[in-house]
Amino acid sequence: MKSCVIVFPASNCDRDAAVALEQATGQKPDMVWHGETSLPDTDFILLPGGFSYGDYLRSGAMAGRSPIMQDVVKKAEDGVPVLGICNGFQVLTETGLLPGALMRNAGLEFICGMQTLQVANTQSRFTRGLSDRAFVDFPVAHHDGNYTADQETLNRLEGENLVAFRYVTNPNGSSRNIAGILNEKGNVLGLMPHPERVISPLLGGEDGTAFFATALKEFG
Amino acid sequence: MKARVHITLRPSILDPQGNAIEGALTGLGFEGVSGVRQGKVIELELTETDEAAARSKVEDMCKKLLANPVMENYEIELVG
């Protein structure tokens, strides 16, 4: 299975994501520079965490308009799975592939630490491999993770079962404790917590291994 | 022609930074302050000389990049 990681200026979780993908697929992902205009042949696209463009203008705003993103949006619309983690989630909302926006944390502080998440959707292709567990522990590390959308959008996300993960203890003020959401087709997932940072006992957990292994098997 | 774009959070969006500023102002002894909201101003120099064309161009820029309609409103001011 071929996967790729998009690298923006000031991405900083791109190599962690590459290790997680290689661990799950047995194949090194292609690392694609944001200035490219077309993606290589790929079965899975990952937008990594970081502070692309120094969070100028709005988190994810500049990266969302990078040359490569036109092809990412096209592939997503064609059904290729796209996973956005942290800054990657912010980029997905900025491109319109996912609704809503990630605002400054309610407490105004950068937060960093392990979070217990409820697996809110156990039917999506990204998450059904986790259906044997009600909760996963993934760490967060962000300043702008406060998920915001209008009431109608929030009601639709809940009504259509598009909330993938919820915080058990809300760390950032996110509406309805939302930590991650899916698009209607179920091939785009954005989440603020970092599954790629818990892929070995040496890193403090292995819930990320389970997430990547089952999600990539689904899409493989 | 110079354009100035004022970007503000939509009224329905909570503004934790505005709230913190309001708290600090109160802490400094300024009384009777409420509804503090933080926004941003972007200034642009345009070669366009026609006012209507300039406004429409900046409007397009706001929609495509400068503002995020999910959380922000914008106002365009043309300055001579």
Side-chain angles (χ1 to χ4, degrees):
Chain A
M1 176 179 189
K2 287 184 172 171
S3 61
C4 70
V5 179
I6 312 296
V7 185
F8 301 100
S11 289
N12 64 13
C13 302
D14 45 326
R15 282 174 285 175
D16 309 55
V19 172
L21 288 174
E22 186 176 357
Q23 193 183 73
T25 65
Q27 234 180 310
K28 275 191 197 300
D30 286 315
M31 305 303 278
V32 182
W33 183 237
H34 75 115
E36 300 289 330
T37 50
S38 65
L39 289 162
D41 183 26
T42 194
D43 307 307
F44 193 96
I45 302 165
L46 194 151
L47 303 179
F51 294 87
S52 58
Y53 291 89
D55 280 349
Y56 290 176
L57 194 63
R58 298 177 302 274
S59 303
M62 312 302 283
R65 278 80 179 171
S66 274
I68 194 66
M69 287 309 296
Q70 283 191 26
D71 203 27
V72 172
V73 170
K74 190 176 165 297
K75 294 283 195 306
E77 286 166 352
D78 290 345
V80 176
V82 180
L83 169 64
I85 301 170
C86 198
N87 189 219
F89 183 14
Q90 295 162 342
V91 173
L92 288 172
T93 61
E94 279 286 339
T95 59
L97 282 172
L98 290 175
L102 283 312
M103 306 275 301
R104 181 54 39 103
N105 293 341
L108 294 175
E109 290 187 343
F110 181 89
I111 56 166
C112 186
M114 197 64 93
Q115 284 287 323
T116 298
L117 309 175
Q118 180 207 359
V119 185
N121 175 321
T122 51
Q123 273 123 47
S124 81
R125 297 180 75 190
F126 275 106
T127 55
R128 64 186 169 208
L130 300 172
S131 58
D132 61 333
R133 57 186 86 197
F135 300 97
V136 288
D137 288 338
F138 294 163
V140 293
H142 60 247
H143 209 163
D144 296 318
N146 180 350
Y147 184 75
T148 304
D150 57 43
Q151 293 302 316
E152 191 188 331
T153 303
L154 293 169
N155 291 340
R156 184 177 61 80
L157 288 172
E158 291 188 327
E160 295 177 14
N161 197 18
L162 300 177
V163 177
F165 296 101
R166 277 182 212 279
Y167 300 108
V168 170
T169 307
N170 192 332
N172 54 23
S174 284
S175 301
R176 307 197 191 175
N177 301 326
I178 287 173
I181 56 169
L182 295 150
N183 68 342
E184 289 86 348
K185 277 202 275 183
N187 69 312
V188 178
L189 168 67
L191 78 168
M192 287 311 296
H194 288 272
E196 82 284 15
R197 292 191 185 179
V198 273
I199 56 166
S200 157
L202 290 172
L203 296 174
E206 288 186 289
D207 284 357
T209 310
F211 167 74
F212 279 101
T214 56
L216 283 143
K217 199 172 153 206
E218 273 293 329
F219 289 112
Chain B
M1 185 177 295
K2 190 173 185 173
R4 204 174 280 142
V5 181
H6 300 261
I7 297 165
T8 49
L9 284 175
R10 286 171 50 176
S12 59
I13 302 287
L14 291 175
D15 179 9
Q17 295 181 100
N19 291 346
I21 294 166
E22 190 171 314
L25 287 172
T26 306
L28 285 170
F30 290 100
E31 286 171 18
V33 182
S34 65
V36 177
R37 311 278 289 168
Q38 181 180 309
K40 53 191 140 189
V41 175
I42 298 173
E43 290 186 333
L44 306 157
E45 226 25 275
L46 302 167
T47 52
E48 182 61 65
T49 51
D50 179 70
E51 205 166 293
R55 188 172 288 278
S56 126
K57 195 178 244 179
V58 177
E59 178 98 30
D60 201 27
M61 292 178 195
C62 288
K63 286 184 183 150
K64 288 190 176 142
L65 176 66
L66 302 182
N68 180 341
V70 173
M71 53 183 177
E72 293 168 332
N73 288 330
Y74 58 84
E75 266 178 58
I76 299 164
E77 182 191 354
L78 295 176
V79 198

